Amino acid sequence: MAKQRRHLGEILFKAGLVEKESLIKAIKTSKTNNKRLGQVLLELGLIDEETLTKAIAKQFGLQYINLDKAPIPADAGSLIPQELIKRHQVLPLGVNNGKLKLIIGDPSDIETMDALRFRLNRELECYLANPTKIRSYIQESFDKVRKEEDDRLKHSIDATAAELAEAGHELQAEALRVQAGGGEGDDAPIIRL
């Protein structure tokens, strides 16, 4: 029989992170406003996003990853198309026994996991990280890549402009030689050009 998943409130209460009265109030607010308990706890300022993420990892039986301390391997981005990383807000970590190691921000988003399994044709080994940090990491990574591409393009344009300027100087020098040489008839350099 499958192990019963513990309630998020129970995890936070037993860890001493939320008082009983505050938790009861948050649960009532959650049900009244049809919001997730974690979101209500954040809005009420009872916990921070890092604490919530750690509790959710425990609730779902996932390993928590602190993106401030666990660097993403440089070649990990080649495991998943950038378009999927941006759309689904996930980070690849590598491959382990044929499974794609993937950092996610919401383990309850079954549709995304199924879509990634189907699209990548791989089983997933998921880890949980703070969703805000995942978004920031992705944004910084794509900004860095975009800047590198812009720098390469600028360098290429600068090199082309320099080549064109040099060709223009050569043509101008040839025209000046023709003018200085006087009229040589039909065999003058300007006519040959």
Side-chain angles (χ1 to χ4, degrees), residues 79 94-101 120-125:
L79 298 170
V95 178
N96 183 24
N97 294 327
K99 291 183 178 180
L100 177 63
K101 293 168 62 176
L120 300 170
N121 196 25
R122 288 200 121 130
E123 281 302 310
L124 304 178
E125 183 177 314

Side-chain angles (χ1 to χ4, degrees), residues 7-13 18-42 44 46:
H7 188 272
L8 180 63
E10 176 187 353
I11 293 168
L12 292 167
F13 176 71
V18 180
E19 294 177 7
K20 185 176 183 178
E21 296 77 26
S22 299
L23 182 59
I24 291 170
K25 178 183 174 188
I27 291 171
K28 286 179 181 178
T29 303
S30 170
K31 289 181 180 183
T32 303
N33 297 333
N34 199 23
K35 288 185 176 182
R36 290 182 174 180
L37 176 60
Q39 185 62 37
V40 172
L41 291 167
L42 286 173
L44 294 174
L46 297 173

Side-chain angles (χ1 to χ4, degrees), residues 110-128:
I110 304 298
E111 284 183 28
T112 294
M113 297 302 106
D114 287 344
L116 287 168
R117 273 186 203 96
F118 178 75
R119 179 86 189 270
L120 300 170
N121 196 25
R122 288 200 121 130
E123 281 302 310
L124 304 178
E125 183 177 314
C126 294
Y127 299 82
L128 194 64

Side-chain angles (χ1 to χ4, degrees), residues 9-153:
E10 176 187 353
I11 293 168
L12 292 167
F13 176 71
K14 284 188 176 180
L17 298 169
V18 180
E19 294 177 7
K20 185 176 183 178
E21 296 77 26
S22 299
L23 182 59
I24 291 170
K25 178 183 174 188
I27 291 171
K28 286 179 181 178
T29 303
S30 170
K31 289 181 180 183
T32 303
N33 297 333
N34 199 23
K35 288 185 176 182
R36 290 182 174 180
L37 176 60
Q39 185 62 37
V40 172
L41 291 167
L42 286 173
E43 289 171 1
L44 294 174
L46 297 173
I47 59 172
D48 61 19
E49 193 171 20
E50 207 66 31
T51 302
L52 175 62
T53 304
K54 289 176 184 177
I56 292 172
K58 191 169 191 167
Q59 178 187 21
F60 280 85
L62 297 174
Q63 183 178 340
Y64 166 79
I65 296 216
N66 184 344
L67 289 178
D68 294 332
K69 297 179 181 174
I72 307 299
D75 65 339
S78 64
L79 298 170
I80 299 179
Q82 290 183 359
E83 164 257 329
L84 290 179
I85 291 172
K86 279 181 105 171
R87 181 184 321 141
H88 298 295
Q89 298 293 296
V90 295
L91 293 171
L93 267 178
V95 178
N96 183 24
N97 294 327
K99 291 183 178 180
L100 177 63
K101 293 168 62 176
L102 194 64
I103 298 174
I104 61 174
D106 183 3
S108 66
D109 188 355
I110 304 298
E111 284 183 28
T112 294
M113 297 302 106
D114 287 344
L116 287 168
R117 273 186 203 96
F118 178 75
R119 179 86 189 270
L120 300 170
N121 196 25
R122 288 200 121 130
E123 281 302 310
L124 304 178
E125 183 177 314
C126 294
Y127 299 82
L128 194 64
N130 182 324
T132 300
K133 288 184 180 179
I134 291 174
R135 283 189 294 277
S136 295
Y137 188 91
I138 291 170
Q139 187 62 47
E140 288 171 13
S141 297
F142 282 99
D143 286 349
K144 182 179 174 186
V145 168
R146 190 176 308 118
K147 183 181 180 333
E148 289 170 359
E149 289 173 355
D150 288 350
D151 288 348
R152 276 194 297 270
L153 181 60

